[in-house]
Structure formats: structure tokens, C-alpha cells
Amino acid sequence: MGDMISVDHVTKRYGAFTALDDVSFEARPGRVTGFLGPNGAGKTTAMRVVAGLTPATTGRATVLGRPYATLPNPGRHVGLLLDASAQHAGRTGREVLTLGAILTGVDRRRVDDTLELVGLTSKEANRRIRNYSLGMRQRLGIAHALLADPEVLVLDEPANGLDPAGIRWMRSLLRGFAERGGTVLLSSHLLGEIERIADDIVVIGGGRIVASGTTAELLAGSGTVVRSTDDARLARALADRAVAVTKVEAGGLLADTDPATVGQAALHAGVALLELRGGDERGLEEMFFELTASSAREGAMA
């Protein structure tokens, strides 16, 4: 089936400013891909390139195997939420969705189904968008993205303005979409939000991809921290098993393997363990904190 969204060596320059610097990543069917980065890291620019709204300076982005702009009736295949606040303030929610249905050639009965799906009441649907709260606008934006029952969703900061119940609702909605074989790419500047929903994570900072992998891989951290009654002896036992070991400043060892292997080595060496735990389990959090700290200092551009 291949990658539903593929970004291949995309660079985007605005004059002297490089918004995206040789960015490559993919989003696959049946999975939620979280696009994580501080504000101004290039997330929105990358998503606009995917959606054919911003031309790449070099490189290319494809959806369903071709550039978005060349898809026949792209709204049928790809649901976009790129700026929930950009909806026409004078129209009602129902009018916006009805117009979307007409433009994509979707049966207008989908409008009511979709309103129900995103939890907007008929009373709310008949109000003008200028009177919507941010959360209601966000639900309408998600409804618009889902209207034509697409295979791919591209959502920029979809949890923005939603209350905790709304965020939980959105997570289960997107999880269900992926479980039915859909492809979801969603961005956020909040690590906690992404790690709860994403199967795969792509981390961007300063216009470059700084890490990517499955959520489990990126959150797993590295190695095992261990303290024992005889660390020198345990270190030799681990070395015999070809496990790299470094001494920890505060006492104990960091072994480049899983806790079970360390426990086996200790048993074999006849050493009693005083402490045994997975190493730096918050590797992603640390990295993300460094990213946000540097971009916060530089007052980065979007």
C-alpha cells in the first residue's frame, strides 16, 4: 500500500529565511503520525506543502502517490484542517458543511451525520460561525475534514481550543479512523498530547527533522541503570556478555541492554541488586525541552 503521505527532501525558503531545511518523513495507513515541534519549528509550513497550498522550493510532497494538487477531487480523498479560525464568519456551521458537500460531490445527508459525529447540535449548527467558541470552530473544522469520508487526514493542532473531554473525544475519533485503515497526520506543540495518540512521531525543530520513529522507540530511552553490592564484579559479568557498561556519577552502572539481561548477569555473578530500572525513559521529553528552550529564546518565526 506504501506511504499515504510522503515528504521527500523538501526545502522551503522565504527570501533569506529557510522555513524547511531538507525535510523528509512519511505517514502510513492504519497509523496516527504525530508531527511534533515547538511553535515556529516549521510544522504548519510542512503541512501546507503537503496540502499543495505552499509550493516547496526544492523536493516534493505526495499524498496517495501524487502531489495533492493533481489529485482528482482531492477533498474526497484528503481531509484538511489547517486553520480552523479561517472559516467564513457570516455563514452557519451547517452552511459551511453543505457547501463543502456540494463542492466535493458528497451526498448532502452526510452533513447531518458528520455534525452528529463531531458533537455539534442542530441548534449550534444553525448559528453563525462568528458566534462559535474556539472549541466549536475546531469541531466544525474536524467535521469539514471528515465530510467526504477521506482516506487521509491532515490536521494542524486539532486539539487547540478543545476542553479535556473534547480532546479525549478527538483521540478516540482519530484512533478509530486509523484502525479502519485511514492515515492520520496531526501536529502539536504539546508532547503529552502526541504521545497519547500517535503510533509514530516525527520531531521537527528549526525547520529540520531531529528525530522520528515509533512512539514506543522514541519514549523507550536507553539502557538500564543498576546498583549492586559489587558493581565491579557485575560490570565484568556484563562485559563477558558483550554489554557496554558506563559508570554513573551518582554510583551504579548504566548498561546498554534491558533490565532482564542485567538481572541474569547479576544472578550468574552472585551479586545482589540494590537498584534496577530502565534508563533515561524521558529521552524524547528531554530533547523536546531543549528544542523548545532554544526556539523560545530566539523568538522563532512560524
Side-chain angles (χ1 to χ4, degrees):
M1 204 165 172
D3 304 314
M4 287 297 178
I5 298 174
S6 178
V7 175
D8 195 20
H9 296 290
V10 165
T11 294
K12 177 63 185 175
R13 293 189 198 90
Y14 294 96
F17 175 67
T18 302
L20 296 174
D21 186 0
D22 195 27
V23 164
S24 296
F25 67 89
E26 54 208 26
R28 288 174 296 171
R31 300 177 75 81
V32 175
T33 301
F35 196 29
L36 175 66
N39 288 330
K43 298 188 304 292
T44 300
T45 305
M47 292 178 116
R48 286 180 62 85
V49 170
V50 168
L53 295 169
T54 296
T57 307
T58 56
R60 68 183 241 145
T62 57
V63 187
L64 300 164
R66 53 205 289 185
Y68 179 86
T70 70
L71 287 169
N73 198 353
R76 287 302 284 264
H77 303 286
V78 185
L80 298 176
L81 172 66
L82 292 183
D83 185 1
S85 61
Q87 293 150 351
H88 197 297
R91 294 203 177 110
T92 67
R94 180 180 299 282
E95 283 167 354
V96 165
L97 292 184
T98 303
L99 196 63
I102 293 166
L103 288 173
T104 49
V106 173
D107 189 323
R108 287 167 68 161
R109 282 175 301 197
R110 274 286 297 169
V111 171
D112 286 316
D113 297 346
T114 313
L115 283 166
E116 196 175 318
L117 184 64
V118 301
L120 286 172
T121 65
S122 59
K123 192 173 162 195
E124 288 169 333
N126 292 325
R127 277 163 60 185
R128 295 190 189 283
I129 291 170
R130 71 165 61 93
N131 302 320
Y132 274 23
S133 66
L134 182 57
M136 283 167 67
R137 282 179 190 227
Q138 206 66 354
R139 284 174 186 265
L140 181 65
I142 292 169
H144 200 273
L146 291 168
L147 184 62
D149 197 19
E151 299 111 275
V152 178
L153 288 176
V154 178
L155 311 171
D156 194 13
E157 299 274 352
N160 211 1
L162 293 177
D163 58 12
I167 290 174
R168 200 160 59 235
W169 157 80
M170 184 196 66
R171 278 206 298 263
S172 72
L173 179 84
L174 297 181
R175 169 67 32 229
F177 183 89
E179 279 168 4
R180 291 191 301 277
T183 302
V184 181
L185 174 65
L186 68 94
S187 73
S188 177
H189 61 285
L190 302 171
L191 173 62
E193 199 175 274
I194 288 266
E195 68 180 276
R196 278 193 198 87
I197 185 170
D199 302 296
D200 302 308
I201 297 179
V202 177
V203 187
I204 189 170
R208 303 192 74 121
I209 303 295
V210 292
S212 63
T214 68
T215 305
E217 281 165 4
L218 289 179
L219 291 173
S222 50
T224 300
V225 175
V226 60
R227 283 191 312 120
S228 72
T229 48
D230 187 344
D231 283 350
R233 190 165 173 185
L234 178 56
R236 283 196 299 275
L238 285 163
D240 288 346
R241 292 169 183 240
V243 172
V245 177
T246 44
K247 279 193 168 155
V248 177
E249 294 263 328
L253 306 167
L254 176 62
D256 191 12
T257 185
D258 59 291
T261 305
V262 175
Q264 290 287 342
L267 181 65
H268 206 251
V271 172
L273 294 182
L274 306 173
E275 184 184 3
L276 179 68
R277 62 184 170 84
D280 172 22
E281 279 161 5
R282 307 305 302 173
L284 184 59
E285 197 166 79
E286 284 298 303
M287 180 180 69
F288 195 61
F289 180 73
E290 283 167 28
L291 274 182
T292 41
S294 67
S295 66
R297 276 202 309 274
E298 289 153 19
M301 286 171 63

